[in-house]
């Protein structure tokens, strides 16, 4: 981990940031020039998705969506933290309500094949198997008894839902996953479906009738969220919709008036907090009122430092802005939730971009230089001044925009934040072999926890000084994983949920490639993020509990 130096060109009328610390291990002596666009693919573990800013837009460039949360409002009435984890077997991020995980072997959706797109056609209702030995199963590849082989002392597989659908060769998207009260919600193609958390039975279904091209794992405290869908002919991602995940109903629908260089987009990213949600697309962004959809503010002007995307959470919003100076530097700004007005800003050194927003409040930013591969995790105080940078041994994983319920700078990274501690997943390029706890006040390591042999460890939620994590078996299909809780000072964790051996463990292992998960109220939910759509029974969503 490297020290981020003080850039020499701080904007006027701004309190000076802290001076750079000396060179040496964990410190960056000074960033080299250039490098403000996308990181090179697969050369380092945090270069999985575009950082901010993106390359200067040109006519030939494909639209790319920014945005997403690092900490945010609860997704259920109880105030829990929400996380999304992306990577081959672990990655996590604090959003605010439920523990989330997205596992991805490739971290990218399959590329479409050259064929005329067709609507996915469901061929039957999801199959429900309660795993009590009398389940209905879902075809020759779906077991009928989920708990066959379960050992004494292990918890249960509660149910498994399968679906049989036919779609285009690129597959059928099924990214969204939320837990709101007694309902677990999935997006499947153009539909949003709510299932009972206890029995997996369908409670409600919303047919959006067009492709979902933008969503977020965040919700309001009462379970509302925003999705962006394409217009009727599928040419533009510009239809905003309020979705009540608790009631299973649509609210208002409004067209997004796109300002800026591009008037159309293939995708849009969403971040929300309280009654404000922000959207971002290539070349533009705007913020709106959740209750009505009315626009609150936008900044499409060419002068100064133009916000490219917003991150929201814990009653706070920050902007990642591109400055129109000769160096095209990046500035972190606070933003009022109703006006967008900034009261502080922090200019990154020349050549640095934002790779991830781990947390909005406290503000924890992952920044890197695309040319030198130097990287720092920066902590800002409430006035926008540099508090410190994290310093410690380890390859700390970042994986934005993977197979999570939403994409962008927040819904990425393998992290959880609670109070004055940030928990990061460290390991090789894609797996978390340990969790490292950092003190945000000092930037130093507080403690480390190893996953163990052939295991991976991912933070899920951090609250009241304790960390909850998912410890899964990597490459051992017959051995189940578990949900564990670490004490404030580290040390041996307590097992909260021990997943069952046997049939269930093999299904669990199959979810560790290109899938997502959520942990809430003592239940673990595993789900796919894309269906093959080959008119065969496929697993969609699985639940574990006591």
């Amino acid at each position: 981990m490297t020290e981020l130096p003080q850039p020499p060109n701080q904007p006027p009328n701004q309190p000076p940031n802290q001076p750079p610390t000396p060179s040496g291990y964990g410190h960056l002596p000074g960033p080299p020039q250039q490098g403000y666009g996308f990181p090179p693919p697969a050369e380092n573990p945090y270069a999985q998705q575009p950082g901010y800013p993106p390359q200067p837009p040109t006519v030939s460039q494909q639209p790319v969506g920014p945005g997403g949360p690092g900490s945010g409002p609860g997704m259920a009435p109880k105030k829990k933290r929400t996380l999304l984890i992306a990577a081959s077997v672990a990655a996590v991020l604090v959003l605010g309500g439920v523990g989330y995980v997205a596992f991805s072997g490739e971290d990218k959706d399959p590329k479409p094949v050259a064929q005329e797109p067709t609507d996915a056609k469901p061929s039957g209702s999801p199959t429900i198997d309660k795993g009590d030995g009398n389940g209905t199963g879902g075809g020759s590849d779906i077991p009928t008894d989920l708990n066959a082989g379960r050992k004494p002392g292990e918890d249960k597989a509660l149910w498994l839902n399968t679906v049989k659908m036919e779609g285009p060769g690129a597959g059928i998207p099924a990214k969204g996953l939320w837990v709101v009260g007694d309902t677990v919600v999935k997006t499947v193609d153009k539909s949003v479906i709510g299932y009972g958390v206890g029995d997996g039975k369908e409670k409600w279904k919303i047919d959006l009738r067009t492709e979902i091209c933008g969503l977020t794992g965040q919700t309001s405290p009462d379970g509302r969220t925003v999705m962006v869908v394409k217009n009727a002919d599928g040419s533009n991602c510009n239809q905003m919709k309020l979705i009540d995940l608790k009631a299973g109903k649509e609210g208002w629908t409004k067209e997004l008036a796109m300002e800026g260089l591009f008037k159309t987009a293939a995708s849009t990213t969403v971040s929300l907090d309280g009654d404000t949600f922000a959207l971002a697309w290539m070349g533009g962004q705007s913020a709106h009122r959740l209750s009505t959809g009315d626009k609150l503010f936008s900044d499409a002007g060419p002068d100064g430092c133009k916000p490219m995307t917003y991150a929201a959470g814990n009653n706070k919003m920050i902007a990642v802005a591109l400055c129109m100076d000769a160096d095209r530097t990046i500035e972190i700004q606070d933003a009022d939730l109703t006006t967008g007005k900034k009261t502080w800003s922090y200019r990154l050194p020349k050549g640095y971009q934002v790779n991830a927003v781990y947390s909005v409040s406290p503000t924890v930013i992952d920044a890197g230089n695309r040319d030198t591969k130097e990287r720092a995790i920066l902590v800002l105080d409430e006035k926008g001044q540099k508090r410190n940078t994290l310093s410690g041994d380890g390859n700390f994983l970042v994986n934005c925009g993977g197979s999570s319920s939403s994409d962008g700078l927040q819904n990425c990274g393998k992290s959880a934040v609670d109070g004055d501690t940030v928990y990061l997943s460290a390991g090789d390029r894609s797996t978390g072999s340990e969790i490292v706890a950092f003190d945000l006040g000092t930037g130093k390591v507080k403690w480390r926890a190893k996953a163990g042999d052939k295991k991976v460890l991912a933070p899920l939620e951090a609250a009241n000084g304790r960390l909850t994590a998912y410890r899964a078996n990597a490459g051992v299909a017959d051995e189940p994983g578990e949900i564990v809780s670490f004490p404030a000072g580290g040390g041996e964790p307590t097992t909260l949920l021990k997943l069952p051996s046997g049939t269930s463990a093999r299904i669990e292992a199959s979810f560790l490639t290109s899938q997502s998960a959520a942990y809430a109220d003592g239940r673990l939910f595993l789900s796919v993020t894309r269906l093959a759509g080959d008119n065969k029974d496929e697993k969609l969503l699985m639940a574990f509990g006591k």
Side-chain angles (χ1 to χ4, degrees):
M1 204 56 55
T2 55
E3 171 69 23
L4 194 65
Q6 168 69 28
N9 57 341
Q10 285 291 328
N13 303 320
Q14 171 181 313
N17 292 294
Q18 298 177 8
T21 54
S23 300
Y25 176 76
H27 304 289
L28 182 65
Q33 300 180 15
Q34 303 181 24
Y36 63 87
F38 299 104
E43 288 189 17
N44 58 329
Y46 65 90
Q48 301 294 329
Q49 283 288 105
Y52 282 83
Q55 296 281 8
T58 62
V59 174
S60 61
Q61 194 167 17
Q62 294 298 317
V64 177
S71 62
M75 304 183 84
K78 293 184 179 180
K79 290 187 178 180
K80 302 180 292 293
R81 294 194 183 271
T82 303
L83 295 104
L84 282 162
I85 307 178
S88 73
V89 201
V92 140
L93 152 70
V94 165
L95 302 182
V98 183
Y100 276 86
V101 190
F103 304 96
S104 170
E106 283 253 310
D107 300 320
K108 296 176 183 176
D109 289 331
K111 296 192 179 300
V113 296
Q115 69 177 67
E116 190 69 23
T118 59
D119 288 345
K121 304 295 183 183
S123 178
S125 302
T127 303
I128 299 175
D129 183 349
K130 294 184 179 181
D132 55 5
N134 298 309
T136 58
S140 59
D141 295 331
I142 306 297
T144 57
D145 185 359
L146 297 180
N147 287 299
R150 181 168 69 99
K151 297 177 181 178
E154 294 179 338
D155 295 308
K156 300 177 182 179
L158 300 178
W159 47 266
L160 169 67
N161 280 5
T162 65
V163 66
K164 188 177 182 180
M165 301 181 74
E166 186 172 1
I172 300 168
K175 271 194 170 184
L177 177 65
W178 303 261
V179 182
V180 182
D182 61 357
T183 306
V184 54
V185 183
K186 276 290 298 175
T187 58
V188 181
D189 193 34
K190 300 173 183 178
S191 298
V192 187
I193 309 172
Y195 302 97
V197 295
D199 59 12
K201 292 181 178 179
E202 183 176 309
K203 299 176 66 174
W204 51 260
K205 182 176 181 179
I206 302 172
D207 184 5
L208 298 177
R209 301 169 296 281
T210 184
E211 180 185 340
I212 301 170
C213 50
L215 51 76
T216 176
Q218 294 169 301
T219 74
S220 65
D222 60 358
R224 293 176 298 159
T225 192
V226 171
M227 295 184 190
V228 185
V229 302
K230 290 193 173 180
N231 54 6
D233 64 10
S235 62
N236 198 4
C237 178
N238 67 349
Q239 302 295 308
M240 305 181 294
K241 285 182 177 289
L242 178 70
I243 306 293
D244 188 330
L245 299 173
K246 196 171 184 180
K249 296 179 180 179
E250 284 189 63
W252 50 258
T253 297
K254 292 195 173 182
E255 181 172 330
L256 170 62
M258 291 185 166
E259 304 174 20
L261 183 62
F262 295 121
K263 307 302 180 185
T264 61
S267 64
T268 303
T269 58
V270 188
S271 181
L272 75 86
D273 187 89
D275 197 37
T276 299
F277 70 92
L279 305 179
W281 58 94
M282 175 57 79
Q285 49 68 35
S286 59
H288 305 257
R289 197 174 295 282
L290 180 68
S291 52
T292 64
D294 295 340
K295 188 173 79 170
L296 291 171
F297 58 88
S298 64
D299 185 1
D303 299 327
C305 297
K306 178 188 180 302
M308 301 292 290
T309 186
Y310 289 93
N314 291 342
N315 300 312
K316 184 177 178 179
M317 180 177 284
I318 59 173
V320 178
L322 173 63
C323 298
M324 303 304 168
D325 55 16
D327 295 329
R328 310 286 277 185
T329 50
I330 298 302
E331 187 174 275
I332 310 300
Q333 307 169 350
D334 75 326
D336 183 271
L337 281 166
T338 56
T339 66
K341 182 179 179 180
K342 70 176 182 179
T343 56
W344 60 256
S345 60
Y346 180 89
R347 189 77 62 90
L348 293 181
K350 179 181 178 180
Y352 273 75
Q353 63 190 20
V354 175
N355 299 311
V357 177
Y358 289 132
S359 175
V360 175
S361 181
T363 303
V364 185
I365 303 291
D366 190 299
N369 188 299
R370 64 166 296 188
D371 293 325
T372 66
K373 312 304 181 292
E374 290 169 307
R375 175 184 167 205
I377 297 179
L378 171 69
V379 182
L380 301 180
D381 66 18
E382 65 279 0
K383 296 181 180 179
Q385 296 185 359
K386 185 174 69 174
R387 193 176 177 188
N388 54 56
T389 53
L390 305 186
S391 178
D393 293 317
N395 184 21
F396 300 99
L397 310 177
V398 177
N399 191 4
C400 296
S403 300
S404 58
S405 71
S406 55
D407 297 330
L409 289 180
Q410 284 181 274
N411 298 331
C412 62
K414 305 160 173 82
S415 70
V417 179
D418 176 42
D420 222 28
T421 305
V422 59
Y423 304 91
L424 299 179
S425 185
D428 60 20
R429 287 180 175 270
S430 58
T431 62
S433 59
E434 68 174 331
I435 289 176
V436 183
F438 285 91
D439 188 320
L440 295 179
T442 65
K444 304 299 182 183
V445 173
K446 295 175 69 173
W447 54 264
R448 294 174 178 267
K450 297 286 187 180
D453 185 42
K454 296 182 180 178
K455 293 182 179 180
V456 292
L457 192 58
L460 281 174
E461 68 170 357
N464 302 318
R466 295 189 69 90
L467 172 71
T468 302
Y470 179 27
R471 181 155 57 190
N473 284 285
V476 186
D478 292 331
E479 294 186 17
E482 59 183 344
I483 305 298
V484 297
S485 176
F486 288 92
E492 281 299 312
T494 301
T495 298
L496 302 180
L497 190 68
K498 187 165 183 59
L499 305 186
S501 302
T503 297
S504 175
R506 290 188 288 274
I507 301 176
E508 178 199 350
S510 72
F511 274 102
L512 297 185
T513 55
S514 220
Q515 319 303 331
S516 63
Y519 178 73
D521 296 325
R523 296 185 183 95
L524 175 66
F525 302 92
L526 300 179
S527 92
V528 299
T529 57
R530 181 170 291 271
L531 295 162
D534 54 5
N535 202 27
K536 297 180 182 178
D537 281 306
E538 301 179 65
K539 62 182 184 297
L540 174 69
L541 181 62
M542 188 176 186
F544 301 85
K546 296 292 185 181

